[in-house]
Amino acid sequence: MGATGAWTSGGYRRLGAAGSVAVALGGWAVGTLPAHDPWGLWVPHGTAVTAAGYTLAYGGLTVLVVAWWLYGRAGASVRDTLVTLAWWTAPMVLAPPLYSADVYSYIAQGAMVLEGHDVYSLGPSVLDPDGPGGDAAASVGGHWTDTPAPYGPFFLLLARGVAWATGGTIVPAVVGMRLIALGALVLIVWALRNLAREHGRSESAALWLGALNPLLLIHVVGGVHNDGLMTGLMLAGVLLALRGRWITGSALVGLAMMVKSPAAVALLFVGVVVGRAASGPAVRRVAKGLLAPGLVAGAVVVGVTFLGGTGFGWLGTQSVAGRIHTALSLSSDLGLGLGELLRLLVGTDPDPVKSAVQNLGLLLALALIARLAWHATTGRTEPVHALGLALLALVALSPMVQPWYLLWATAVLAATASGGRAVGAVTVLSAALVYETQPSGSTPAYGFVLAALVCVAGVVLLRRDRAGRARGRVPGQRLPAPAESQAEADAPTAR
């Protein structure tokens, strides 16, 4: 194992594990606790315990972030990194939901499907408070109680299975959804390692940024967000397409789309891979790339939608999240500011202005995605790396942005880039955005202050590290990705 100063990767592993334990223990007091837990495990406590819980949670989170950052400099092997991932993940498996109440929506929506409710026109409030999923529905965040599901039928089938197996009882239902999240993490690890090999990148570097990332640990494992499942399916689909199995790959991307719709962006770049590998006239190659992956994914979407019995209402609920203002959305912030300014000056309604700016942001994102696809087609950019940049553009310009959305791009860039501004940006943001939400799921103003301070510190550290490398003072260190271990460097590349 490599070392930084007197510490080895094993030392940072233990440090991060201590931080993860503190986050989980703090979560038992100040996590996103349910409105009612019939088992009496996840219940509120007194003021003293709550204060101790916040101290543990924030202290542990900071220790975890520092350990992750330093672990990236330690030159750990793939095996060591996988062991570290297990150590850092384990404490959160049985913890209450952390940093978000979304898992309660998942459980309630699964119960709605189980009972035959139209999940795409009704919200969780339709459930009987004393029936399966009633406790989950009561625990859903305020404005989501009457909001239709924005998720596709494939994910709702999984949620239905959890609701059926657990009767919607809070603790086992949350653990059931977390097992799905852990399965997604395993899929991400597999895809990252293989994509890194395909691109001649360090596997340990890809795992450090794409899987060991504290933003993923607290929001996919702790918060049980389905973005992990979408990302895992998308990565696996792209990997298979690279290896010539584009039909299976397109089908997996289709499943990813039926978790969350942004995975559809991957189809464009799978098409680039297919078109470049096809034989025959240019027109035929272009047509195959543009149409074939979409047709396969479309067939999977139609088949699973009919199998799920939920109907195609999910196609009309994709914009529901965009109605909620999130401060991380640049287009929403700009639109709101311009709208309020015009209201003060000429008395106009600010909402149409905000909506127009949000739409312009999406148009700009689409233009950037198209440009990246063209660069990939002409060979100026590698297709999978271009996909990572496209997802980064989509997140930056979306009308609603949550901290964990960054993971869509981070996982792809982790396997395809060894450095550069984009990777540096997602590295610093990964460390910063963990502070944006409280363990209870709320978004306090001080969370943005903490995130900004971490961003400044991260930029300073990156610049200092790069300056040190330029002067030859930190040989072998390659933040924002960890150095390859000697064993990994000496091993033959497998494809």
Side-chain angles (χ1 to χ4, degrees), residues 1-2 9-10 13 71 74-85 193 202-205 207-208 212 482-489:
M1 291 184 290
S9 58
R13 175 191 302 150
Y71 191 90
S77 67
V78 171
R79 181 183 179 280
D80 284 340
T81 304
L82 291 175
V83 171
T84 299
L85 179 61
R193 293 186 63 183
S202 163
E203 289 182 49
S204 61
L207 291 173
W208 173 77
L212 199 61
E484 284 188 19
S485 67
Q486 189 60 45
E488 194 175 352

Side-chain angles (χ1 to χ4, degrees), residues 2 11 25-26 65 77 89 139 164 168 215 221 232 235 255-256 264 291 320 344 385 416 451 456 460 475 479 490-491:
L25 289 177
V65 170
S77 67
T89 298
S139 306
W164 173 83
L215 189 65
V221 180
L235 288 176
L255 290 179
L291 298 176
V320 297
L344 292 174
H385 182 63
T416 61
V456 172
V460 170
L479 268 179
D490 292 342

